[in-house]
Amino acid sequence: KATVRRTITEALLKERDKQAKWNGIPLLLQKLYENSHPNSDFSQCQSILKEISPLLSMEAMAFVTEERKSAQESTFPNTYTFDLFGGVDVSDVVTCCSCLFLFSFVQTEGVTKRLAERNDFVLFLFTLMTNKKTFLQTATLIEDILGVKKEMIQLEDIPSLSSLVSSFDQQQLANFCRILAVTISELDTGSDDKHTLLAKNAQQKKNLGPSRAEINQATLLNIPGFIERLCKLATRKVSETAGASSFLQELEEWYTWLDNALVIDALMRVADEETEQSSTESSDESGLANTSTRNQLPQSMKIMHEIMYKLEVLYVLCVLLMGRQRNQVHKMIAEFRLIPGLNNLFDKLIWRKHSASALVLHGHNQNCDCSPDITLKIQFLRLLQSFSDHHENKYLLLNSQELNELSAISLKANIPEVEAVVNTDRNLVCDGKRGLLTRLLQVMKKEPAESSFRFWQARAVESFLRGATSYADQMFLLKRGLLEHILYCIVDSECKSRDVLQSYFDLLGELMKFNIDAFKRFNKYINTDEKFQIFLNQINSSLVDSNMLVRCITLSLDRFESQSDIKVAEVLSECRLLSYMSQMSMRMSFLFRLINIIHVQTLTQENVSCLNTSLVILMLARRKDKLPFYLRTLQEMEYTKKYPGFILNNFHSLLRFWQQHYLNKDKDSTCLENSSCISFSYWKETVSILLSPDRTSPCAIVSYIDEAYMDIDREFTEE
């Protein structure tokens, strides 16, 4: 294209321009090229860009309002001409970023992909972020390019990254988090549960070292003060943000580059809604409400602005909390008081009531999952889940009085205090009358049946209970009516959402495990045969969703039966749920179905728990020397259902895979131990016994498969 610029005469370009309706773009690009050398007068470039920009701006706005439908030459002629005559190739000029920004809106699939292939150019763009005037345009262009780039960039390759980040003000740092989100997230994270374990294991064997995302996470943690600044951004109040003038200054910048339609549309929508709100108030109130809408606008917009910033920051913190440096991140965000800060924002910003002036995305409403308000809530809940999961810092979600309550529960039950509670630094816990966990329980119980938050709320609370079972933690939540709320949702509202049901069953399992008081409360609530049948129907409707609860009941029953306490004996005789699971036929039915609904080729992170639950049932049988009886019963059930060998061959393959998966040196087995209170060595021994090739062994699966139906040596493939 550079050659084309040199060989085509100005006269020819002018003549052809009239016929092709190029709007003078080729001539402008030729002038831009001539003035884009290091010793050129860049003021000339700026004046040329001012002529080009409106031609692309109109098409960019059309593309935005058309929801980014695929671009075509005929739809965006100016953009096509810009690319045809080498406009993109002039992009090394600093001031060209603004044009490229508008242009990237239109031809994402074409131009942005070509720019993404030039790694040196991508890294060069980061250096332009020091220029405040073009920061937003540059950041947006980088984000678009990284979104289509085949290989993730390495942050350590960015020139003077630490200096660059330290030069950002808080507003710029929040926008920079949008870019960081692309560089620290694994490429397939979005559908992690859907990827088979076979495929994931095979991929892990290929990738022996840390991934680029993991390397980038480590790079960020090495930037001095980075996590501290993110914590300050995440927890600052709207009143602490820059004044209205700087906010309006940013709006003005967007106004300059994106045409006035978008900004005016947003401002007018807010103004109309606030006017409507004030008109519905009483005359006494309207005196206050009739203050100039122009004065109210900045605060309304600032709140939404702050929400958008916190979204990006919380996402980055959440990813880092799930990474290899998790303990390092935990230590830092505890020290910088992230949790108390979020607790102070809970009512006024994170879980604020929707106001009429809340800004929503064009074409959406406040209850849409795309709205910033809702996305912030979900990201906040994901952060709590990551923060609490199997980590002693989870007690920072409480305040000092609530920690004292945990100690009192342990004292009353005559059991040792949880060591992590004793060791919790009281200077880092939540302030105020309620901690963050208690606040979450309050909004959880008020959530409408159709709410999209129910799943995330249950996941966040369940993560607080995960790990070694704590009676004090369970009682803390039971005293606040959590069990009754869950049962109401499962039974009385007859929840239909599979995701929500699964999260409720998982939470219920953690809440009730080994806790006789919880089973007593369960029986008090599920006090009729009709209610109990609805509950069983919900469990049986999908064992993949409910198997963790089945595991909890099975483990609890086994422990209760070994105790000689009068209170336990009373609950055992009265509780419908425990009586149901005590029937051998019921346990065998669950075992048969758990093995039947999974196969090695379809195992995922989501359903592998079914395999572990079936193993728990058999480990408990082995403890009581009943393993041969269970295997023989499975064999009889196969024949009854006309499935000779099908279930046991499948189970044999599943256990072989279990060995490959869980005996990997990098695999953490503590989750299996914590969830069952059974040592991992017993898990391994039981699997080895079941897989014994000795057909004379009464505990070997092969002893119960007839030769004619034997099919146990098949290689694992993804087909």
Side-chain angles (χ1 to χ4, degrees), residues 178-372:
R178 290 178 62 88
I179 294 170
L180 294 181
V182 182
T183 67
I184 63 175
S185 303
E186 298 293 350
L187 296 177
D188 58 353
T189 299
S191 55
D192 192 53
D193 284 350
K194 303 298 183 278
H195 288 182
T196 66
L197 294 183
L198 266 181
K200 291 175 76 173
N201 289 353
Q203 190 62 39
Q204 284 174 357
K205 287 179 182 177
K206 293 178 183 177
N207 305 330
L208 299 177
S211 67
R212 284 202 169 188
E214 290 170 333
I215 294 171
N216 286 340
Q217 291 172 24
T219 301
L220 287 182
L221 293 177
N222 288 329
I223 298 176
F226 177 71
I227 296 296
E228 182 177 10
R229 290 187 68 189
L230 289 193
C231 289
K232 285 181 178 177
L233 258 174
T235 58
R236 71 176 183 181
K237 298 174 183 176
V238 177
S239 59
E240 296 170 358
T241 61
S245 58
S246 66
F247 177 74
L248 293 175
Q249 185 179 349
E250 181 173 326
L251 283 182
E252 185 181 354
E253 186 170 3
W254 282 104
Y255 172 93
T256 303
W257 289 107
L258 284 183
D259 203 302
N260 60 3
L262 206 58
V263 176
I264 290 179
D265 183 46
L267 290 171
M268 289 306 296
R269 195 157 60 246
V270 174
D272 290 344
E273 288 168 347
E274 289 191 354
T275 303
E276 287 174 14
Q277 184 186 29
S278 64
S279 67
T280 60
E281 294 170 351
S282 66
S283 56
D284 292 336
E285 294 171 322
S286 62
L288 297 172
N290 283 335
T291 310
S292 171
T293 303
R294 206 184 299 174
N295 293 334
Q296 296 176 31
L297 279 177
Q299 183 66 11
S300 303
M301 298 290 283
K302 273 170 66 179
I303 291 173
M304 192 53 57
H305 207 221
E306 194 63 21
I307 284 175
M308 297 300 289
Y309 282 170
K310 290 189 186 328
L311 263 174
E312 310 304 337
V313 173
L314 290 182
Y315 179 83
V316 170
L317 287 171
C318 189
V319 173
L320 293 174
L321 269 173
M322 296 186 291
R324 287 196 179 197
Q325 289 82 21
R326 186 185 186 214
N327 288 332
Q328 181 186 351
V329 178
H330 248 292
K331 184 179 179 182
M332 287 192 283
I333 64 177
E335 179 187 343
F336 301 133
R337 293 179 54 82
L338 174 70
I339 297 302
L342 292 176
N343 188 46
N344 294 334
L345 288 176
F346 188 86
D347 291 330
K348 292 185 177 178
L349 187 70
I350 298 172
W351 225 271
R352 69 193 184 110
K353 293 179 181 178
H354 287 309
S355 64
S357 60
L359 183 65
V360 294
L361 301 180
H362 186 70
H364 300 268
N365 58 58
Q366 289 174 341
N367 297 318
C368 171
D369 283 353
C370 299
S371 81

Side-chain angles (χ1 to χ4, degrees), residues 528-547:
T528 66
D529 291 340
E530 182 185 4
K531 276 189 173 183
F532 186 59
Q533 192 55 54
I534 293 172
F535 183 76
L536 288 182
N537 290 344
Q538 291 280 50
I539 286 181
N540 289 313
S541 64
S542 176
L543 270 184
V544 170
D545 300 325
S546 63
N547 85 88

Side-chain angles (χ1 to χ4, degrees), residues 439-713:
R439 290 181 188 276
L440 176 56
L441 289 174
Q442 287 181 321
V443 297
M444 184 178 181
K445 290 195 283 186
K446 295 175 183 176
E447 210 60 51
E450 69 283 357
S451 171
S452 60
F453 299 133
R454 283 188 165 201
F455 169 81
W456 295 107
Q457 289 168 337
R459 279 281 176 258
V461 178
E462 184 217 341
S463 69
F464 180 81
L465 290 170
R466 278 190 205 147
T469 303
S470 166
Y471 175 80
D473 292 356
Q474 291 172 325
M475 292 307 300
F476 180 86
L477 296 173
L478 286 169
K479 287 170 66 176
R480 285 159 174 76
L482 180 59
L483 183 136
E484 288 78 10
H485 167 71
I486 297 170
L487 292 177
Y488 171 81
C489 295
I490 294 174
V491 176
D492 296 304
S493 70
E494 295 194 52
C495 176
K496 295 293 188 290
S497 166
R498 299 305 334 160
D499 287 339
V500 173
L501 263 181
Q502 183 180 17
S503 65
Y504 281 158
F505 283 134
D506 290 349
L507 174 55
L508 193 60
E510 293 293 341
L511 187 62
M512 296 179 68
K513 193 189 299 173
F514 306 130
N515 192 314
I516 198 67
D517 296 291
F519 280 90
K520 190 173 183 178
R521 282 174 174 258
F522 176 94
N523 211 45
K524 185 177 179 181
Y525 190 92
I526 306 295
N527 54 6
T528 66
D529 291 340
E530 182 185 4
K531 276 189 173 183
F532 186 59
Q533 192 55 54
I534 293 172
F535 183 76
L536 288 182
N537 290 344
Q538 291 280 50
I539 286 181
N540 289 313
S541 64
S542 176
L543 270 184
V544 170
D545 300 325
S546 63
N547 85 88
M548 293 298 288
L549 177 61
V550 171
R551 190 190 305 183
C552 147
I553 302 165
T554 306
L555 286 163
S556 301
L557 175 65
D558 182 77
R559 177 175 292 190
F560 296 155
E561 287 178 337
S562 66
Q563 296 174 342
S564 54
D565 187 281
I566 296 175
K567 178 184 176 183
V568 172
E570 182 183 322
V571 176
L572 267 174
S573 63
E574 294 176 356
C575 181
R576 286 179 170 85
L577 191 55
L578 292 172
S579 299
Y580 179 81
M581 194 59 76
S582 66
Q583 301 172 53
M584 173 63 73
S585 59
M586 293 299 104
R587 290 202 296 277
M588 288 308 306
S589 173
F590 278 123
L591 179 61
F592 187 92
R593 285 185 290 152
L594 283 167
I595 298 171
N596 193 30
I597 59 178
I598 50 175
H599 305 278
V600 172
Q601 287 75 18
T602 59
L603 278 179
T604 64
Q605 200 63 48
E606 183 180 10
N607 64 24
V608 72
S609 57
C610 294
L611 173 57
N612 290 322
T613 298
S614 65
L615 260 177
V616 165
I617 294 172
L618 291 175
M619 282 189 292
L620 298 180
R622 182 188 163 210
R623 278 182 178 174
K624 297 178 179 178
D625 297 322
K626 291 185 177 179
L627 190 51
F629 174 79
Y630 275 66
L631 293 175
R632 188 163 56 253
T633 305
L634 281 176
Q635 182 188 38
E636 292 169 359
M637 293 173 78
E638 282 183 330
Y639 276 88
T640 301
K641 296 182 179 290
K642 306 286 192 277
Y643 283 171
F646 178 77
I647 292 296
L648 291 174
N649 276 313
N650 184 43
F651 193 42
H652 193 280
S653 295
L654 288 165
L655 293 183
R656 283 170 56 217
F657 176 82
W658 188 96
Q659 284 185 324
Q660 288 185 13
H661 186 68
Y662 284 103
L663 302 187
N664 186 308
K665 63 179 180 179
D666 295 328
K667 197 69 183 176
D668 185 4
S669 60
T670 54
C671 290
L672 289 180
E673 290 186 320
N674 288 335
S675 70
S676 62
C677 287
I678 299 173
S679 69
F680 190 61
S681 60
Y682 198 79
W683 284 79
K684 290 191 292 185
E685 288 170 14
T686 304
V687 173
S688 295
I689 289 170
L690 287 165
L691 289 179
S692 170
D694 183 3
R695 290 181 61 81
T696 64
S697 169
C699 295
I701 292 175
V702 293
S703 301
Y704 300 89
I705 306 175
D706 292 340
E707 284 279 6
Y709 305 112
M710 190 80 71
D711 185 20
I712 61 171
D713 298 320

Side-chain angles (χ1 to χ4, degrees), residues 400-431:
S400 292
Q401 293 81 7
E402 291 164 346
L403 283 173
N404 292 339
E405 184 181 338
L406 283 181
S407 301
I409 292 170
S410 297
L411 183 65
K412 184 179 179 181
N414 197 28
I415 57 176
E417 272 193 84
V418 176
E419 190 177 350
V421 175
V422 178
N423 295 336
T424 297
D425 186 343
R426 299 295 180 107
N427 294 316
L428 303 178
V429 300
C430 291
D431 311 310

